Amino acid sequence: MHELSIAHQLVELAVENADRMGLRRVTALHVRVGALSGVVQEALRFAYDIAAAGTAVEGARLIIEDVPVVIYCPACRAERSLPAPVPARCPVCGTPSGDVRAGRELELYALEGEADEEGNR
Ligand SMILES: [Zn+2]
């Protein structure tokens, strides 16, 4: 299950960042998942719970933001976001395009948590 290795990477990254940010407790991880990333969200959520167990981010919520596929349409000379990943074709004029500008993301972009209180060290 490839979501499990992804979940482990996300958890590892979150733990590192929380440490650098001085977060005492992490309450949420914000993750962007592109429609072309190949990640099944339900599988990722399930894997995340397993991967987070026993780490500094255990109990933190996983908040997933969907990123639609965006292609560049050479006919419109514009970026167009697709209502579905397939077909890769401009939704306005119908021109096929393989020039993908977004939708492959799989990234941790924010952490929520409680910082260390000053004078409490
Ligand atoms: Zn177009």
Side-chain angles (χ1 to χ4, degrees), residues 52-84:
T55 73
V57 300
E58 181 170 12
R61 283 179 305 143
L62 183 67
I63 298 168
I64 297 176
E65 183 188 315
D66 290 303
V67 180
V69 180
V70 176
I71 57 165
Y72 178 78
C73 174
C76 299
R77 296 186 185 184
E79 292 187 351
R80 304 285 188 200
S81 84
L82 305 185

Side-chain angles (χ1 to χ4, degrees), residues 18-98:
D19 192 45
R20 199 175 321 142
M21 289 160 72
L23 296 181
R24 185 161 45 90
R25 201 168 76 84
V26 176
T27 53
L29 280 66
H30 291 261
V31 176
R32 282 197 186 99
V33 176
L36 293 177
S37 66
V39 169
V40 178
Q41 294 198 12
E42 282 318 300
L44 183 60
R45 284 182 195 285
F46 179 76
Y48 166 75
D49 285 340
I50 297 169
T55 73
V57 300
E58 181 170 12
R61 283 179 305 143
L62 183 67
I63 298 168
I64 297 176
E65 183 188 315
D66 290 303
V67 180
V69 180
V70 176
I71 57 165
Y72 178 78
C73 174
C76 299
R77 296 186 185 184
E79 292 187 351
R80 304 285 188 200
S81 84
L82 305 185
V86 184
R89 188 173 287 190
C90 175
V92 177
C93 71
T95 303
S97 172

